[in-house]
Amino acid sequence: MNELDSLVESATQLFAQSATPADLENAKAQFLGKSGRVTELMKGMAQLSVEEKKSRGAAINVAKQAIEAALTARRQALADAELQVQLKAEALDVSLPGRQRGQGGLHPVSLTLERIEGIFGSMGFDVAQGPEIETDWFNFTALNTPEDHPARSMHDTFYVEGGTDTAPNLLRTHTSPMQIRHAVQHVKKNRALLDAGQPMPEIRVIAPGRTYRVDSDATHSPMFHQCEGLWIGENVSFKDLKVIFTAFCRTFFESDDLVLRFRPSFFPFTEPSAEIDIQFQTGPLAGRWLEVAGSGQVHPNVVRNMGLDPEKYIGFAFGMGPDRLTMLRYGVNDLRLFFDGDIRFLSQFQ
Ligand code: DAH
């Protein structure tokens, strides 16, 4: 083997022994670096004649290319090995079972609201949403609630910025303002019919949502839910209210023998007014009268504020508490549990 062949061989060997890229770069320097052995051979040609330089130079170049090829091959081999190690270290076992993830669900009060919407929807009621920040007009005045009514006091109501000095804006204390808001829209939509003296399609709507009062104990929360109901037409009576509300309660509580009682009461926006009590015939609450809603025939002043003639249009309204309905349905005795956000409580309803 000539000198150049053995140079190539020792380079190849040294490269093969280099276990890391850094070792390999050091080995490369010994042959191809500034004072490496190939470079030294090149320098050694200075004394040679032109003819000799040609043939010697060509031979050295062949050796140099062989060394470079060996270097490239080894670099590639080390990179491949490194990739294999990395792949192995980061390997995913796709056959492993996944980590358990908690499954979310609807809040019990949301479940109740869905139920209410489903039942009244099946009886031809629309569902309307309205603002939680209300004006004095919609929350009180339009609902025939006089200036000196206790509900207007600071102790009962969260007043907020906006509105006027004498009629500040507030967080709605009930969903009843939606009676006016929805009816006004309905009347606007049917303006042409009304102007032509034609019968207007009945207003049949429920309006669920959040409401606010300065109140906090086991059965009152400053934020709570209500669901308003309104049915206005030319021929709607208390009898209709009794029929639909009985059907609603029996479906909601899945209790066919549940009975209702209308207890005379007072609300500024209805006349006459009644509290609706229910009584279960079986189960843990059997025999007790439980109050579930306020109701009444819509007051003529309120009908007028809807833009309708109270001589022609009549109807009834009701307001119930979905939080209370949820408590009764599931046997929960503290309202605050609904709003504490404790997952141990909430997960029981999934
Ligand atoms: N808005 C009343 C309240 O918050 C509940 C209510 C009573 C609503 C009678 C009505 C109704 O629509 O007719 O106490």
Side-chain angles (χ1 to χ4, degrees):
M1 194 188 290
N2 72 28
E3 176 210 6
L4 288 175
D5 289 341
S6 65
L7 184 65
V8 172
E9 192 174 293
S10 57
T12 308
Q13 259 174 29
L14 197 61
F15 293 163
Q17 286 160 17
S18 304
T20 67
D23 287 349
L24 185 60
E25 293 315 304
N26 281 334
K28 171 199 163 185
Q30 286 184 41
F31 292 90
L32 303 171
K34 255 195 203 142
S35 46
R37 291 171 61 186
V38 175
T39 320
E40 292 301 320
L41 288 176
M42 297 283 209
K43 284 182 192 160
M45 294 198 303
Q47 273 71 263
L48 301 181
S49 70
V50 177
E51 271 313 299
E52 285 168 327
K53 272 185 183 162
K54 247 189 180 170
S55 61
R56 177 72 173 157
I60 294 175
N61 255 332
V62 170
K64 187 184 176 194
Q65 281 164 10
I67 293 171
E68 283 170 346
L71 175 69
T72 306
R74 183 61 185 153
R75 271 194 187 136
Q76 190 59 52
L78 285 180
D80 287 350
E82 194 179 13
L83 181 64
Q84 287 311 316
V85 169
Q86 194 183 357
L87 284 175
K88 212 166 169 183
E90 296 173 3
L92 284 181
D93 182 352
V94 291
S95 69
L96 273 178
R99 287 202 190 104
Q100 287 288 333
R101 279 232 180 175
Q103 198 170 21
L106 288 178
H107 190 278
V109 174
S110 301
L111 294 173
T112 294
L113 292 173
E114 281 197 344
R115 247 178 119 66
I116 294 173
E117 289 171 20
I119 297 168
F120 276 102
S122 76
M123 297 194 284
F125 280 69
D126 294 328
V127 178
Q129 304 266 358
E132 289 171 29
I133 296 177
E134 258 306 357
T135 62
D136 179 89
W137 166 258
F138 284 111
N139 198 82
F140 296 126
T141 311
L143 291 166
N144 199 39
T145 305
E147 211 74 42
D148 55 356
H149 194 279
R152 287 179 176 248
S153 113
M154 287 289 215
H155 303 290
D156 285 325
T157 300
F158 292 108
Y159 288 95
V160 297
E161 282 176 4
T164 65
D165 282 351
T166 49
N169 286 348
L170 50 107
L171 299 183
R172 64 179 178 189
T173 58
H174 50 178
T175 45
S176 302
M178 282 307 291
Q179 290 188 30
I180 307 290
R181 285 186 179 273
H182 182 81
V184 165
Q185 288 298 320
H186 185 92
V187 166
K188 205 166 146 189
K189 247 193 275 170
N190 293 283
R191 189 74 268 161
L193 281 178
L194 285 162
D195 286 349
Q198 306 259 350
M200 174 191 78
E202 286 186 343
I203 298 173
R204 223 177 290 169
V205 69
I206 59 165
R210 280 185 284 269
T211 48
Y212 302 85
R213 278 182 211 172
V214 184
D215 228 349
S216 188
D217 60 38
T219 51
H220 297 89
S221 151
M223 185 287 299
F224 60 106
H225 297 84
Q226 279 198 346
C227 181
E228 197 72 13
L230 180 68
W231 188 351
I232 299 272
E234 290 183 26
N235 231 328
V236 188
S237 76
F238 235 101
K239 177 196 70 192
D240 298 306
L241 168 62
K242 191 161 185 179
V243 168
I244 65 125
F245 213 82
T246 303
F248 164 72
C249 290
R250 290 186 174 165
T251 312
F252 183 86
F253 288 109
E254 298 169 89
S255 173
D256 285 342
D257 52 2
L258 176 153
V259 288
L260 265 74
R261 170 173 87 174
F262 285 75
R263 186 162 38 86
S265 183
F266 173 79
F267 299 102
F269 34 90
T270 45
E271 180 59 36
S273 307
E275 305 278 359
I276 305 178
D277 300 335
I278 61 168
Q279 189 187 72
F280 296 101
Q281 305 311 303
T282 52
L285 296 168
R288 278 170 55 191
W289 286 108
L290 308 159
E291 184 185 316
V292 290
S295 68
Q297 184 172 306
V298 180
H299 193 287
N301 287 345
V302 176
V303 175
R304 210 169 281 120
N305 288 333
M306 292 171 175
L308 292 169
D309 177 3
E311 295 296 327
K312 191 163 176 200
Y313 290 96
I314 188 165
F316 60 80
F318 55 86
M320 55 187 163
D323 305 326
R324 179 154 164 79
L325 293 181
T326 313
M327 290 170 80
L328 290 174
R329 181 160 143 83
Y330 296 109
V332 175
N333 56 14
D334 191 332
L335 175 70
R336 291 168 294 199
L337 286 167
F338 288 141
F339 309 123
D340 284 346
D342 188 331
I343 203 81
R344 292 168 302 179
F345 173 73
L346 296 174
S347 60
Q348 296 178 60
F349 300 89
Q350 302 318 317

